[in-house]
Amino acid sequence: MKIGVLALQGDFAEHILMLKRLGVETVEVRLPEQLKGLDGLIIPGGESTTIGKLATDFGLLQPLRTFGERHAIWGTCAGAIFLSKDVSRDQPLLGLMDIQIARNAFGRQVDSFEADLDVPELKKTTGSKNSYHAFFIRAPIIASVQGDARVLVSLPGGRIVAAQQGHLLATSFHPELTRDTRFHEYFLSLAD
């Protein structure tokens, strides 16, 4: 299996390290031709507007959309925003997932937090019984899901922080900043 990580901006290096811990071949993706031969792609956290502008400048928007029609893509934090169809503002988006995102929904950087999440899909896929400890940094929330998208994880109170639509995955938090490989393992099961 070969997984690409969009390496235009953000914490792509952390995702690459996590994938290497799992023995997965990785590729830093900056140009359309680097998508060839990949089984999946991770779009990391960072700044979604910057990621969108750079993807536009490097001619990646349409190639990423085409890739996402047939292959697994996972967007974390800013990557989830970039995957969505609606963020209630004008910025470049892939528009692949039937989700609406509310940017910086938990507040500013100083409002970042950690939470233990109950994620039934992770437990089923990895055989683990433990909760998942997640890091939320200037995190968005998934305000709503439509069509074929479904909620994977919500916080107490109902705020959606992970969703899936077929082979597409969006998380508000940063699994690459933990030592827990289960979300990356789950994504690999979608790319398989």
Side-chain angles (χ1 to χ4, degrees):
M1 180 170 297
K2 187 193 277 189
I3 301 295
V5 180
L6 191 63
L8 299 177
Q9 190 265 343
D11 54 353
F12 58 89
E14 290 84 353
H15 278 290
I16 290 169
L17 287 173
M18 188 70 85
L19 290 167
K20 287 184 176 180
R21 283 182 57 209
L22 292 170
V24 176
E25 183 181 354
T26 63
V27 173
E28 291 183 11
V29 175
R30 292 184 179 91
L31 299 169
E33 56 268 18
Q34 293 167 323
L35 292 168
K36 291 183 179 128
L38 297 180
D39 298 299
L41 179 75
I42 296 174
I43 302 171
E47 210 297 308
S48 64
T49 305
T50 301
I51 292 170
K53 286 179 180 177
L54 289 171
T56 301
D57 290 347
F58 286 99
L60 273 163
L61 275 180
Q62 192 54 49
L64 287 169
R65 288 180 183 128
T66 301
F67 182 87
E69 291 170 4
R70 294 186 298 270
H71 299 89
I73 296 181
W74 174 20
T76 63
C77 198
I81 295 168
F82 191 49
L83 267 178
S84 73
K85 286 191 175 173
D86 183 8
V87 293
S88 300
R89 63 179 278 178
D90 186 26
Q91 71 178 77
L93 300 172
L94 293 179
L96 290 170
M97 281 190 79
D98 290 320
I99 58 175
Q100 181 184 31
I101 297 277
R103 294 167 39 111
N104 302 325
F106 297 101
R108 298 177 347 181
Q109 189 83 11
V110 297
D111 300 310
S112 299
F113 66 98
E114 300 174 30
D116 288 325
L117 306 175
D118 180 43
V119 189
E121 287 294 331
L122 286 191
K123 292 176 179 177
K124 186 170 91 178
T125 302
T126 65
S128 169
K129 294 181 173 74
N130 299 329
S131 61
Y132 186 86
H133 192 74
F135 295 90
F136 294 83
I137 303 169
R138 282 184 54 223
I141 60 167
I142 299 167
S144 65
V145 298
Q146 297 89 32
D148 294 330
R150 66 185 178 97
V151 175
L152 279 184
V153 184
S154 294
L155 293 172
R159 292 179 291 186
I160 304 166
V161 294
Q164 181 181 340
Q165 182 177 328
H167 55 267
L168 304 173
L169 180 63
T171 57
S172 297
F173 46 92
H174 289 267
E176 74 282 5
L177 299 181
T178 73
R179 301 279 308 151
D180 190 335
T181 60
R182 289 179 292 162
F183 249 100
H184 286 78
E185 292 173 50
Y186 183 66
F187 174 68
L188 294 175
S189 76
L190 300 179
D192 198 8

